[in-house]
Amino acid sequence: MEEAEKELERRSKFLSNLIQKKKATDQQNLHQHLNIKVKASDMSTVLQNKAFKCAKDHLDSISPGNGIKIDSKRLALALKKEFDASYGPAWHCIVGTSFGSYVTHSLGGFLYFSINKVYVLLFKTTVEPMDR
């Protein structure tokens, strides 16, 4: 009986490893398809993918091919509103081609990436009520 349990454990680890590799490959393919480079993150892949899709959709709607210059403020506002609505308040977004930052963020709420040579910093902070 003990050997059967060991074999089940071995197979479980093997399958788990395969699933993780598949997820990593899928994520990498998504990055290549959307022309995304993650610079730093402690955000879950689900939230990352939401940010990528929102940024891509917004950029596609105002693409330079339409003769419209990318408006960093509008992209930042679109990402902030989407994340505030979906995941609660206190999301912040900085978008541009050249900026520096040093921020404090909530655990699991930080993403810095580039998409089509535009850099996006998206992060969440904790909202605490003021004592009166």
Side-chain angles (χ1 to χ4, degrees):
M1 189 67 164
E2 199 171 297
E3 283 187 36
E5 287 177 6
K6 286 182 182 178
E7 181 62 18
L8 280 174
E9 180 68 24
R10 186 189 69 77
R11 288 182 184 194
S12 176
K13 286 180 182 179
F14 177 76
L15 288 174
S16 179
N17 193 16
L18 278 179
I19 290 168
Q20 282 189 316
K21 284 181 182 178
K22 173 74 169 123
K23 284 181 180 179
T25 301
D26 289 349
Q27 189 73 7
Q28 190 175 27
N29 289 340
L30 177 68
H31 291 184
Q32 289 174 347
H33 174 70
L34 298 178
N35 196 21
I36 291 171
K37 292 183 179 102
V38 176
K39 303 297 183 181
S41 176
D42 80 340
M43 189 179 284
S44 73
T45 56
V46 173
L47 268 66
Q48 286 182 41
N49 290 340
K50 175 97 170 187
F52 302 153
K53 184 175 180 345
C54 185
K56 178 76 168 140
D57 290 348
H58 187 77
L59 289 174
D60 286 348
S61 72
I62 58 160
S63 68
N66 296 337
I68 301 171
K69 184 180 172 207
I70 293 172
D71 186 345
S72 298
K73 283 172 93 174
R74 284 193 176 173
L75 176 55
L77 179 62
L79 280 164
K80 179 192 174 17
K81 279 187 170 184
E82 180 66 32
F83 272 70
D84 277 346
S86 298
Y87 307 108
W91 285 91
H92 309 276
C93 189
I94 301 167
V95 176
T97 55
S98 177
F99 61 87
S101 68
Y102 194 87
V103 301
T104 301
H105 61 88
S106 298
L107 186 64
F110 179 85
L111 176 62
Y112 179 46
F113 68 99
S114 68
I115 180 170
N116 297 337
K117 298 180 182 177
V118 175
Y119 291 85
V120 177
L121 174 60
L122 178 66
F123 62 99
K124 182 178 177 94
T125 58
T126 304
V127 177
E128 296 181 17
M130 290 178 35
D131 293 332
R132 294 203 184 241

